[in-house]
Amino acid sequence: MELYKENQLKVYNSLSKSKELFKPVIEGRIGMYVCGPTVYSNAHLGNVRTFMFFDVVYRYFLHLGYKVRYVRNITDAGHLENDADEGEDRIAKKARLEEIEPMEVVQRYTVDFHDVLKNYNFLPPSIEPTATGHIVEQIEMVKEIMDKGFAYEVNGSVYFDVLKYNETGNYGILSGRKIEDAIHNTRTLDGQSDKKNPQDFALWKKADERHIMRWPSPWSDGFPGWHLECSVMSKKYLGEQFDIHGGGMDLKFPHHECEIAQSQTCSGKSPVNYWMHTNMLLLNSQKMAKSTGNYILPNEILTGENDILSKAFTPSVVRFFNLQANYRSILDFSSDALLASEKGHGKLMDALNFLDKIESGNESTFNVQDWKKQCYAAMNDDFNTPILISHLFEAVKTINLIREQKASLTEEDLEELKKTMKAFVFDVLGLMNEVAKGSSDKVNGVVELLIKLRKEARENKDWALSDQIRDELLELGIQLKDGREGTSYSIN
């Protein structure tokens, strides 16, 4: 039997602002869409937090035995500098400033995005469509919205009529914004004179003569509005109604609100059953933003080449840090927080490494079955990774007690513990046992050599050298442990 039949999952739905029992549109199958990056610059760590959480959601669904179609788009056209449908296309502006082709910008930062996600052990999505690859479908959706009377064309640009939609729909259903308040608080902005109302948003924009990225349409040579691509691509690959749509909290309004209006106009249905949004990532208690210089790039954490952190950190430690907080809570990124996560991550991996060396006993002093149920209960409660991690450390405590010969597990319970620990740590959370991979053979060789030299120093009663080796390894995060069977080590 598939695990999903044994596990009732609850998901916090941003639409209802409450946790709801999860029931997929089609039993045994999941359709999930997550808004991907606009590839005009390097992905920052705040973006990575969002994608990392949905990577865990994807992993857990796969673990439960669902067949998952995970769609994450690439925005390579149509995203203007602000949400008032004005300014330059972000990619075109970058290309103009650097005097290169827009698609060179797209290629550079798409490759960077993929490299970052590969470094941090992300699973690739099922489909990764691009806005420029779906221009024809976007034009067709604009036509359909116009035919239904919810859009109008002015001077070659097409706008969605929010007030017309709101006569029968609810523009604000996701964000909680009232259209009356929006009208009252709207300032008159330059360049908005083409719109009937300031709240209306662009479905198609006419390109001026300087705009490089343009395509022919029935209305003008131009480009699609930013919100349109996600409605088009989610419908094409997941259908008119699908299970989960995810993204950062900053996308609730206007982007996701506009998606709902566009999709519902065309299909007459609410397009998504469960909307999920991640919260902000702060840097040293301040909003992370490139405009203020208060940001750090994901790869700078790995190299240590930055002015923020005290040292370099591994991808798995950064994943561990992120997943120790609930995805709906604000998370503060700092050097101290990463150092603490590094210690916790090291203890977890040390226990996992020792787990394979444990021999079974005649009785179990730890209730593995109850513990396993608690692990699933944590993930079934809106993917609560911090609670799951706390349960994993209950198992770590037991493993360490077994190491000290103060606890034991039967063969059956030991195998169940191994299987469950590895499933949640590696398959679901996507952590990596970096001590046991990559360059670990070289590290192991160096440490074993130092252990041998220390042993010789102790035999020669050279206690100063012996202590120096031990203490300097400890400063590097490598702890030596002397026992009856010799000296072992763990990396913290």
Side-chain angles (χ1 to χ4, degrees):
M1 182 191 297
E2 292 88 352
L3 282 172
Y4 69 79
K5 293 181 179 179
E6 305 171 8
N7 289 271
Q8 280 200 328
L9 179 62
K10 285 188 175 181
V11 172
Y12 183 87
N13 192 345
S14 297
L15 198 60
S16 66
K17 299 172 180 59
S18 64
K19 287 183 187 177
E20 299 178 8
L21 190 65
F22 180 74
K23 186 178 180 182
V25 175
I26 301 171
E27 184 181 350
R29 294 178 180 269
I30 302 290
M32 182 169 74
Y33 189 97
V34 174
C35 289
T38 301
V39 283
Y40 71 101
S41 66
N42 301 101
H44 66 70
L45 197 62
N47 300 138
V48 171
R49 182 193 184 189
T50 292
F51 300 132
M52 190 175 290
F53 168 69
F54 286 106
D55 180 61
V56 171
V57 172
Y58 182 33
R59 286 169 173 273
Y60 189 56
F61 280 139
L62 292 173
H63 174 73
L64 292 179
Y66 283 105
K67 292 183 177 179
V68 187
R69 178 172 288 177
Y70 174 22
V71 182
R72 187 185 65 216
N73 69 301
I74 295 284
T75 297
D76 58 353
H79 195 169
L80 301 186
E81 291 176 282
N82 61 55
D83 294 326
D85 295 325
E86 301 304 323
E88 256 185 296
D89 181 293
R90 293 183 176 188
I91 292 164
K93 180 179 180 180
K94 185 78 169 182
R96 179 176 58 79
L97 291 173
E98 297 197 12
E99 297 183 336
I100 58 176
E101 284 290 327
M103 283 300 133
E104 287 183 73
V105 175
V106 167
Q107 179 70 7
R108 176 191 303 171
Y109 294 112
T110 300
V111 169
D112 175 75
F113 176 67
H114 288 153
D115 286 346
V116 167
L117 268 53
K118 185 177 180 181
N119 284 339
Y120 283 89
N121 199 32
F122 282 65
L123 297 178
S126 314
I127 303 172
E128 194 173 51
T130 63
T132 56
H134 296 78
I135 298 295
V136 171
E137 292 93 333
Q138 291 182 79
I139 290 172
E140 289 304 310
M141 182 171 270
V142 175
K143 287 181 184 177
E144 185 176 356
I145 294 171
M146 292 185 78
D147 289 345
K148 291 178 182 289
F150 289 93
Y152 56 91
E153 182 263 331
V154 180
N155 297 328
S157 293
V158 181
Y159 298 96
F160 188 92
D161 192 333
V162 171
L163 294 185
K164 174 71 174 174
Y165 171 78
N166 221 44
E167 291 174 6
T168 53
N170 183 0
Y171 187 78
I173 190 172
L174 180 65
S175 62
R177 300 192 182 202
K178 296 185 185 302
I179 192 72
E180 297 83 4
D181 295 339
I183 293 170
H184 179 72
N185 293 323
T186 299
R187 296 180 294 112
T188 300
L189 298 174
D190 292 339
Q192 285 195 330
S193 57
D194 283 351
K195 297 182 183 182
K196 289 182 182 178
N197 304 288
Q199 294 73 33
D200 297 346
F201 58 88
L203 298 174
W204 186 266
K205 288 285 287 182
K206 181 181 179 180
D208 62 34
E209 61 246 11
R210 296 172 304 162
H211 203 99
I212 305 171
M213 303 179 80
R214 60 173 68 212
W215 293 266
S217 79
W219 315 285
S220 64
D221 280 3
F223 53 94
W226 170 40
H227 314 303
L228 190 64
E229 64 180 275
C230 291
S231 288
V232 163
M233 294 188 285
S234 62
K235 177 184 175 182
K236 179 169 182 176
Y237 298 111
L238 299 174
E240 291 182 341
Q241 199 165 35
F242 57 96
D243 299 301
I244 290 175
H245 193 315
M249 197 168 283
D250 58 315
L251 296 180
K252 262 191 194 179
F253 187 89
H255 186 53
H256 290 162
E257 201 76 73
C258 295
E259 277 191 62
I260 292 173
Q262 292 165 160
S263 299
Q264 190 147 336
T265 294
C266 292
S267 69
K269 304 173 185 175
S270 179
V272 179
N273 286 346
Y274 305 90
W275 287 88
M276 300 181 70
H277 294 91
T278 58
N279 213 325
M280 284 192 303
L281 181 67
L282 304 180
L283 177 56
N284 294 324
S285 303
Q286 300 294 320
K287 183 179 178 181
M288 191 178 294
K290 289 188 177 179
S291 58
T292 62
N294 189 52
Y295 72 94
I296 186 169
L297 298 179
N299 285 335
E300 291 176 339
I301 302 169
L302 310 185
T303 62
E305 296 173 1
N306 61 80
D307 299 324
I308 296 166
L309 302 177
S310 60
K311 53 175 290 234
F313 293 90
T314 66
S316 192
V317 166
V318 179
R319 275 190 83 105
F320 184 71
F321 160 77
N322 273 280
L323 299 175
Q324 282 181 292
N326 187 283
Y327 75 96
R328 289 189 287 118
S329 65
I330 293 173
L331 178 60
D332 193 4
F333 181 90
S334 68
S335 188
D336 287 346
L338 272 186
L339 286 167
S341 292
E342 187 177 52
K343 287 183 180 178
H345 180 272
K347 289 176 182 176
L348 179 61
M349 294 305 161
D350 179 50
L352 279 165
N353 289 336
F354 186 75
L355 187 56
D356 287 327
K357 302 173 186 176
I358 292 176
E359 293 185 2
S360 59
N362 296 322
E363 63 172 345
S364 291
T365 56
F366 179 66
N367 193 323
V368 175
Q369 289 302 324
D370 279 357
W371 167 82
K372 179 180 174 182
K373 288 176 184 176
Q374 290 176 331
C375 290
Y376 278 100
M379 286 301 289
N380 291 340
D381 183 16
D382 194 32
F383 310 96
N384 201 327
T385 57
I387 298 299
L388 170 64
I389 288 171
S390 71
H391 292 316
L392 295 176
F393 273 90
E394 290 172 18
V396 168
K397 184 178 178 181
T398 295
I399 293 167
N400 289 333
L401 286 172
I402 294 172
R403 192 195 314 238
E404 297 167 9
Q405 299 181 339
K406 295 178 181 178
S408 64
L409 291 173
T410 63
E411 184 177 354
E412 183 180 357
D413 281 346
L414 180 59
E415 288 307 309
E416 192 65 39
L417 183 66
K418 287 180 182 179
K419 178 183 173 184
T420 307
M421 279 286 282
K422 291 177 181 179
F424 278 111
V425 171
F426 301 128
D427 299 341
V428 175
L429 296 181
L431 300 178
M432 296 167 279
N433 194 347
E434 289 152 333
V435 177
K437 60 176 270 191
S439 61
S440 60
D441 289 342
K442 293 179 182 178
V443 172
N444 184 63
V446 171
V447 176
E448 291 294 343
L449 175 61
L450 288 169
I451 288 172
K452 181 181 177 182
L453 293 174
R454 178 171 174 263
K455 182 174 181 244
E456 291 175 358
R458 287 160 69 92
E459 289 171 352
N460 295 329
K461 300 191 185 317
D462 190 347
W463 309 118
L465 178 58
S466 169
D467 291 347
Q468 182 184 0
I469 293 171
R470 179 199 62 203
D471 294 343
E472 291 192 13
L473 282 173
L474 188 60
E475 284 184 17
L476 295 171
I478 301 171
Q479 184 176 11
L480 299 184
K481 298 176 183 179
D482 296 316
R484 286 177 295 180
E485 298 178 2
T487 301
S488 61
Y489 73 92
S490 62
I491 297 180
N492 300 318

